Amino acid sequence: MGITSRMIPTEDASARKREIEEKLKQEQETLSFIRENLEKSDQLTKGMVSILSSFESRLMQLENSIIPVHKQTENLQRLQENVDKTLSCMDHVISYYHVAKDTDRIIREGPTGRLDEYLACIAKIQKAVEYFQDNNPDSPELNTVKARFEKGKELLEAEFRSLLTRYSKPVPPILILDAISVDDELEVQEEVVLEHLPEAVLQDIICIAGWLVEYGRNQDFMNVYFQIRSNQLDRSIKGLKDHFRKNSASSGILYSPAVQTKRKDTPTKKAPKRPGYDHDLRVKHHCDALTEKHGAASGKDDVLDIEIDSYIHCISAFVKLAQSEYSLLTEIIPEHHQKKTFDSLIQEALDNLMLEGDNIVSAARRAIMRHDYSAVLTIFPILRHLKLNKSEFDSTLQGTAASTKNKLPTLITSMETIGAKALEEFADSIKNDPDKEYNMPKDGTVHELTSNAILFLQQLLDFHETAGAMLASQESSLSATSYTSDFNKKLLSTYICKVLGNLQLNLLSKSKVYEDSALSAIFLHNNYNYILKSLEKSELIQLVTVTQKTAERSYKELIEQQIHTYKSSWLKVTEHLTDRNMPVFQPGTKLKDKERQVIKDKFKGFNDGLEELCKIQKGWAIPDKEQRDFIRRSQKKVVSDAYRTFLQRCANISFTKNPEKYHKYRPEEVEEMIEKLFDTSA
């Protein structure tokens, strides 16, 4: 047991030793292998280093050979590029020397019909000018191309003028009337476009204007523009005026046939009219009536009416055409020159319109000096139209010079001043019209002064707002804000009442010219009745009652007063039928000669008075049938009742052997005689 246990560790140690020795041997072999490999590797490394050293040497040799060649090639390429650039620059420079020759034909022939090509040609010349100015300012070529550029610019300016002149035409009157007409039956008005220039021509003009502004450094074309367009604007308005003169007299109301052409689906529609035309048309009729006393021919009145309506239409036409001109101008003229050019463009037409307005004012002033107050009637429709269109007029002239904008207000002020003066002098003339016996109506009918005054006042009713404002404008104590519609109405009412008061006083004075108080009463009755009926018929009474509430009643009282005065003229007839001086007698008692003579005198006095009055008063006139019938009827009753009573009283009295000599008329015959009073045809 003991030996065995000692042997086991010894065997283990031997095995362990052998194992270690084997491992050592293996490690030694590995180490030998590594050494061998290291040696091989060193050899390879040395070989590689040798190769690389050789390669580096060769690369250095190659680089030393290639770099000079590369640099030489690069220099050659740069030289080539410089040569190309130089040749290109030479070609470019040489082209500037040939510009004058190359563009000569196109410049000489001008831009007509080939504007784009011409502008491209001008651009070449402009570049040549810039080149020589920068690089060779002393060269003769600079003067050549400069001259060519100026020539090209002149021809462009000439083309601008030529195009404007050739294609700018006056707007036809009918087209203008279409543009300014108003058709009350149409809710939406058709906008009439005024085309002043063909579109292609307009684009050429815009193109030329743009070039002249940007490159031409020339504003003369703006003067050319406003002169040509100004002339066309003025010709358009004059053409409209001539159209009125040629056609208004025969056609009455002017309107454009083109409107009917456009609206074939509505053939029953009325011709378009401008606002207030019906009222304005009445001016003619009032003027006719008022100017007859001055011997004015109807042809002259027709011409006057045409001139008034023509002027009103021309004012509207100016506004519409000016607006259209401004719209055209904004496409052609630079923005900062538009207002000034527009101001110059409209001056001639505006000045002509204002001059014509001043002539109307001057004519009215001269007529007033001749005491022909009907002339003021020409101002009313014009003044009303000017004031109605003032806001649009001001809007159209916005941005123009103050002197331009003030022309219309100045004309309005002149018209208001002369109109107010005419109104005041008319009122004074009514008051101071002389009582000329030869001028009094022999039949006691309405005096010419009365009819003229009423016609004049009726015209004021048609233009009551204008007349009221006209009177208000002369009130120095008022500010512009005080010109209210109600205040103006009160002023006009006061004025009308003043005229009527002056007329009443003058009529009363004129009535004293008649020697017969009955004819005087008939005269006053006719005039007062005419005034009242005219006031009521024309609605003037509503305007009068603004300041005189009892005017209507006052006139009725005056009329009744004159009827009573007239009836008094029959007292010298009916007084013979009264009981005064009538003898008292008993039936069957024989009258004394004196008593019989009293009855004979009464019959004779009645017969003679009746015949005389009927003969005289038959030639008098009461134009109002209602009043005439009323006076006849009431007078017949008074006279025939008194006559019948007298006849009954004398029925059983024997006062003459020839009763038919004194009892000449039956009561029915007396009534028939009275029925023929105031009947000049009987």
Side-chain angles (χ1 to χ4, degrees):
M1 292 286 294
I3 295 171
T4 305
S5 55
R6 282 195 298 273
M7 289 176 64
I8 292 171
T10 303
E11 291 177 0
D12 290 338
S14 297
R16 179 72 177 163
K17 182 178 178 183
R18 284 194 300 274
E19 183 181 345
I20 291 171
E21 288 176 351
E22 286 178 3
K23 286 184 177 182
L24 181 59
K25 185 179 178 181
Q26 289 176 355
E27 291 294 334
Q28 288 175 342
E29 290 175 355
T30 301
L31 181 61
S32 295
F33 177 76
I34 291 172
R35 283 175 177 166
E36 289 175 1
N37 286 333
L38 283 174
E39 289 176 357
K40 289 179 180 179
S41 177
D42 287 340
Q43 291 175 359
L44 290 172
T45 299
K46 289 177 180 179
M48 183 58 70
V49 169
S50 176
I51 292 170
L52 289 174
S53 297
S54 175
F55 184 70
E56 182 180 6
S57 175
R58 290 179 181 179
L59 281 176
M60 289 181 66
Q61 291 177 359
L62 180 61
E63 183 178 342
N64 290 333
S65 300
I66 291 299
I67 286 176
V69 174
H70 173 72
K71 288 182 178 179
Q72 187 176 6
T73 302
E74 190 177 42
N75 289 335
L76 289 173
Q77 288 177 340
R78 189 178 295 112
L79 288 172
Q80 180 65 41
E81 289 176 0
N82 288 338
V83 169
D84 290 342
K85 287 182 179 179
T86 302
L87 290 174
S88 177
C89 288
M90 288 296 292
D91 290 341
H92 185 66
V93 170
I94 291 171
S95 69
Y96 289 133
Y97 285 87
H98 293 142
V99 162
K101 180 180 179 182
D102 294 342
T103 59
D104 180 65
R105 182 181 60 82
I106 296 176
I107 295 299
R108 277 190 293 102
E109 292 177 357
T112 304
R114 51 175 178 181
L115 182 61
D116 292 339
E117 182 184 1
Y118 190 85
L119 289 177
C121 186
I122 289 286
K124 290 180 181 179
I125 297 173
Q126 189 175 7
K127 288 180 180 178
V129 171
E130 293 171 356
Y131 170 79
F132 288 119
Q133 283 178 336
D134 294 339
N135 298 282
N136 195 1
D138 297 328
S139 65
E141 285 79 6
L142 176 60
N143 294 331
T144 302
V145 291
K146 268 188 174 181
R148 188 60 47 83
F149 182 79
E150 291 301 320
K151 179 64 176 177
K153 187 169 71 171
E154 288 177 10
L155 290 176
L156 274 176
E157 292 171 352
E159 179 70 1
F160 183 87
R161 179 189 292 274
S162 175
L163 288 174
L164 269 179
T165 304
R166 194 181 321 135
Y167 292 99
S168 290
K169 305 295 181 185
V171 180
I174 288 180
L175 190 58
I176 297 176
L177 289 171
D178 277 348
I180 65 176
S181 65
V182 176
D183 190 344
D184 297 332
E185 295 183 5
L186 292 180
E187 293 182 3
V188 180
Q189 298 296 322
E190 294 182 18
E191 183 68 23
V192 178
V193 179
L194 301 177
E195 186 178 290
H196 298 286
L197 297 167
E199 184 60 28
V201 173
L202 175 60
Q203 292 308 316
D204 283 354
I205 289 174
I206 293 172
C207 188
I208 295 173
W211 188 92
L212 290 173
V213 170
E214 186 173 358
Y215 302 110
R217 306 291 189 270
N218 189 347
Q219 297 180 5
D220 290 344
F221 78 94
M222 299 181 198
N223 296 331
V224 171
Y225 179 84
F226 89 70
Q227 289 168 2
I228 293 174
R229 293 307 306 169
S230 173
N231 180 259
Q232 297 308 322
L233 173 61
D234 191 52
R235 287 179 62 193
S236 296
I237 295 175
K238 287 179 178 176
L240 179 63
K241 194 179 300 181
D242 292 340
H243 184 66
F244 266 87
R245 288 172 180 158
K246 291 176 183 176
N247 300 291
S248 290
S250 58
S251 62
I253 298 176
L254 271 180
Y255 64 92
S256 170
V259 175
Q260 291 184 337
T261 304
K262 292 178 183 176
R263 302 169 187 155
K264 291 182 180 178
D265 56 327
T266 55
T268 59
K269 288 196 174 184
K270 297 177 182 178
K273 301 176 287 185
R274 59 175 171 78
Y277 186 87
D278 289 336
H279 278 170
D280 297 347
L281 196 61
R282 281 199 286 258
V283 173
K284 175 182 183 301
H285 304 301
H286 290 304
C287 283
D288 288 348
L290 286 173
T291 53
E292 281 176 1
K293 68 176 181 177
H294 301 285
S298 60
K300 182 179 179 181
D301 297 328
D302 291 337
V303 171
L304 177 63
D305 187 53
I306 293 169
E307 291 297 327
I308 293 170
D309 208 46
S310 169
Y311 186 69
I312 288 173
H313 277 83
C314 286
I315 289 291
S316 295
F318 171 79
V319 173
K320 185 65 67 175
L321 290 170
Q323 290 170 348
S324 180
E325 286 291 345
Y326 186 74
S327 178
L328 176 66
L329 177 145
T330 56
E331 298 187 67
I332 299 171
I333 304 299
E335 184 176 358
H336 53 288
H337 291 285
Q338 288 172 1
K339 292 295 184 181
K340 183 179 179 182
T341 304
F342 178 66
D343 196 342
S344 301
L345 190 155
I346 62 174
Q347 282 303 314
E348 183 178 3
L350 181 58
D351 285 345
N352 286 338
L353 283 176
M354 295 302 107
L355 178 61
E356 191 172 348
D358 289 339
N359 289 339
I360 292 171
V361 172
S362 299
R365 185 178 290 111
R366 289 193 299 271
I368 291 168
M369 291 176 66
R370 299 193 305 269
H371 306 294
D372 176 13
Y373 302 103
S374 63
V376 76
L377 299 179
T378 64
I379 292 178
F380 280 100
I382 296 172
L383 180 58
R384 181 175 70 175
H385 189 73
L386 291 178
K387 296 182 80 170
L388 284 174
N389 287 272
K390 186 177 181 299
S391 60
E392 189 175 7
F393 207 100
D394 292 342
S395 176
T396 302
L397 300 187
Q398 188 176 6
T400 58
S403 58
T404 302
K405 288 187 285 190
N406 288 335
K407 286 180 180 179
L408 181 67
T410 300
L411 177 59
I412 289 175
T413 300
S414 297
M415 287 190 170
E416 286 184 329
T417 301
I418 194 65
K421 181 181 179 183
L423 291 179
E424 290 303 318
E425 291 198 13
F426 177 77
D428 292 340
S429 73
I430 295 297
K431 181 179 180 180
N432 301 319
D433 188 71
D435 306 328
K436 298 175 182 177
E437 186 174 352
Y438 67 84
N439 198 34
M440 296 295 290
K442 304 299 182 185
D443 57 1
T445 189
V446 178
H447 196 278
E448 184 181 34
L449 180 68
T450 303
S451 59
N452 287 346
I454 293 300
L455 284 171
F456 194 91
L457 295 181
Q458 286 172 342
Q459 184 63 37
L460 294 188
L461 178 64
D462 289 336
F463 298 95
H464 63 276
E465 292 181 1
T466 304
M470 186 182 285
L471 293 168
S473 68
Q474 305 306 303
E475 296 287 330
S476 58
S477 60
L478 295 174
S479 63
T481 55
S482 302
Y483 298 166
T484 63
S485 178
D486 288 342
F487 180 79
N488 294 352
K489 194 173 184 180
K490 281 185 179 180
L491 279 180
L492 183 58
S493 176
T494 301
Y495 172 78
I496 291 174
C497 291
K498 177 182 178 180
V499 172
L500 292 176
N502 290 349
L503 178 61
Q504 185 177 334
L505 290 173
N506 198 307
L507 289 173
L508 191 60
S509 176
K510 289 183 185 305
S511 68
K512 295 175 182 178
V513 172
Y514 294 113
E515 296 179 359
D516 192 328
S517 61
L519 180 56
S520 177
I522 289 296
F523 170 77
L524 289 175
H525 163 273
N526 284 333
N527 282 272
Y528 292 153
N529 183 64
Y530 177 81
I531 293 171
L532 177 60
K533 291 297 175 64
S534 298
L535 293 179
E536 292 174 337
K537 186 177 180 181
S538 66
E539 299 181 0
L540 267 170
I541 194 67
Q542 282 88 338
L543 199 53
V544 170
T545 53
V546 170
T547 52
Q548 282 196 11
K549 304 293 183 185
T550 61
E552 190 171 7
R553 187 178 67 192
S554 298
Y555 274 110
K556 287 181 178 178
E557 289 174 355
L558 287 171
I559 292 168
E560 290 174 2
Q561 200 175 79
Q562 298 311 317
I563 291 175
H564 178 74
T565 302
Y566 162 73
K567 287 182 177 180
S568 299
S569 67
W570 283 83
L571 291 177
K572 64 182 179 181
V573 175
T574 56
E575 68 179 355
H576 296 290
L577 305 178
T578 62
D579 291 338
R580 188 166 60 88
N581 297 329
M582 194 72 174
V584 180
F585 58 90
Q586 296 295 327
T589 304
K590 186 176 180 180
L591 295 177
K592 297 178 181 179
D593 290 343
K594 185 178 179 180
E595 293 173 335
R596 285 197 296 272
Q597 189 61 44
V598 168
I599 296 174
K600 289 178 182 179
D601 289 343
K602 282 183 174 289
F603 268 105
K604 187 176 186 306
F606 172 77
N607 293 335
D608 292 346
L610 176 67
E611 290 170 355
E612 181 184 1
L613 279 186
C614 288
K615 181 180 179 181
I616 293 172
Q617 295 185 7
K618 186 170 67 173
W620 297 354
I622 299 180
D624 188 325
K625 185 179 184 303
E626 183 181 346
Q627 287 290 311
R628 184 170 65 244
D629 291 344
F630 169 75
I631 293 174
R632 283 173 176 172
R633 190 166 53 249
S634 61
Q635 201 57 44
K636 278 193 300 185
K637 180 173 176 54
V638 171
V639 176
S640 65
D641 286 354
Y643 188 48
R644 282 189 171 89
T645 301
F646 178 75
L647 290 179
Q648 288 175 359
R649 192 181 300 119
C650 299
N652 298 319
I653 300 176
S654 177
F655 63 92
T656 180
K657 294 180 181 179
N658 301 308
E660 65 278 358
K661 178 181 177 182
Y662 298 98
H663 187 185
K664 293 175 65 176
Y665 302 106
R666 292 178 291 106
E668 293 77 14
E669 291 175 326
V670 171
E671 290 180 355
E672 288 177 5
M673 293 172 70
I674 295 175
E675 186 64 31
K676 293 179 180 179
L677 296 179
F678 318 117
D679 186 359
T680 55
S681 64

